[in-house]
Amino acid sequence: MLEMATLLAQATVDSGFGTLGVGIGMGLAIVGAGLGIGRIGGSAVEAISRQPEASGTIATQMLISAALIEGATVIALILLLIR
Amino acid sequence: MLEMATLLAQATVDSGFGTLGVGIGMGLAIVGAGLGIGRIGGSAVEAISRQPEASGTIATQMLISAALIEGATVIALILLLIR
Amino acid sequence: MLEMATLLAQATVDSGFGTLGVGIGMGLAIVGAGLGIGRIGGSAVEAISRQPEASGTIATQMLISAALIEGATVIALILLLIR
């Protein structure tokens, strides 16, 4: 009976560390997405101010590269959730 | 009775580690969103001061890229809450 | 009676870890919001000093992007509180 209790207790402690890892992982994922999309968006608006007539092309390329980061971030969030 | 007490006690310790992870995750998510949207918004107002006549295009692109970060951040916050 | 005392004592330790996480999370959230809104506000006043006639447009865009960060931050603080 004593062994059974000890076993269950340690299994629950482990689950807490798992959620700690999920939280750190999701947080770091958003830090990466923020740094990346922030760099792209910031440079895009500066580029438009330098060449306003190229704003269509700049906006398209900005969206493509930002969507790449966004896609990887959402995949990471979902994988962390089902973990 | 002794075994039961030990089991329950350590099970509660687990829940604490999980909330620690959720807190760190939510905090890091806002750090990422702040860095990203801050970079975009800061560059946008600087770009408008350089080309005030392009302010409409710049504001639109700023909102699109900032919304990408905002979306991923809110998704992460919700996933962390239901975790 | 001794076992019961042990149970309650360790349950309090657990709740401490959770509050630790909430505290770290709320602190990081404000760090992120401060960095982000600080960057936007700082750039906005510099942009207005360069193009005072565009101050209306700049102020509007500053408010929009700063409100995006503020919104995500308040959501995170509330979610951390009810966690």
Side-chain angles (χ1 to χ4, degrees):
Chain A
M1 190 58 194
L2 176 63
E3 297 85 358
M4 200 61 191
T6 309
L7 169 65
L8 287 171
Q10 295 197 354
T12 326
V13 167
D14 154 62
S15 157
F17 277 114
T19 307
L20 176 64
V22 169
I24 293 173
M26 284 192 181
L28 285 178
I30 300 296
V31 166
L35 287 175
I37 301 178
R39 172 95 162 82
I40 294 168
S43 294
V45 291
E46 281 167 5
I48 290 172
S49 82
R50 237 175 282 138
Q51 290 279 355
E53 64 267 25
S55 64
T57 316
I58 293 172
T60 309
Q61 302 311 319
M62 179 199 77
L63 252 186
I64 291 175
S65 44
L68 283 173
I69 301 180
E70 184 90 0
T73 306
V74 172
I75 290 175
L77 292 180
I78 293 174
L79 293 188
L80 280 168
L81 180 72
I82 66 176
R83 174 72 192 176
Chain B
M1 190 57 196
L2 176 63
E3 298 87 356
M4 204 58 193
T6 309
L7 167 67
L8 288 173
Q10 296 201 357
T12 326
V13 166
D14 142 65
S15 157
F17 276 116
T19 307
L20 176 64
V22 169
I24 293 174
M26 285 191 181
L28 284 177
I30 300 296
V31 166
L35 287 175
I37 301 178
R39 171 92 159 86
I40 294 168
S43 294
V45 291
E46 281 168 5
I48 289 172
S49 81
R50 231 176 287 138
Q51 289 278 356
E53 65 267 26
S55 64
T57 315
I58 291 171
T60 308
Q61 301 311 319
M62 179 198 78
L63 254 186
I64 291 175
S65 44
L68 283 173
I69 301 180
E70 185 90 1
T73 305
V74 172
I75 291 176
L77 291 180
I78 293 174
L79 293 188
L80 280 169
L81 181 72
I82 66 176
R83 175 69 194 183
Chain C
M1 193 57 195
L2 176 63
E3 298 86 355
M4 205 57 195
T6 309
L7 166 67
L8 289 174
Q10 296 202 357
T12 322
V13 166
D14 142 65
S15 157
F17 275 115
T19 308
L20 174 64
V22 169
I24 292 174
M26 285 192 181
L28 284 176
I30 300 297
V31 165
L35 287 174
I37 300 178
R39 171 94 160 84
I40 294 169
S43 294
V45 291
E46 280 169 6
I48 290 173
S49 81
R50 232 176 288 138
Q51 290 277 356
E53 65 267 26
S55 63
T57 315
I58 291 172
T60 309
Q61 301 312 320
M62 181 197 75
L63 253 185
I64 292 175
S65 45
L68 283 173
I69 301 180
E70 186 87 2
T73 305
V74 171
I75 291 176
L77 291 180
I78 293 174
L79 293 188
L80 281 169
L81 182 70
I82 67 176
R83 175 70 192 183

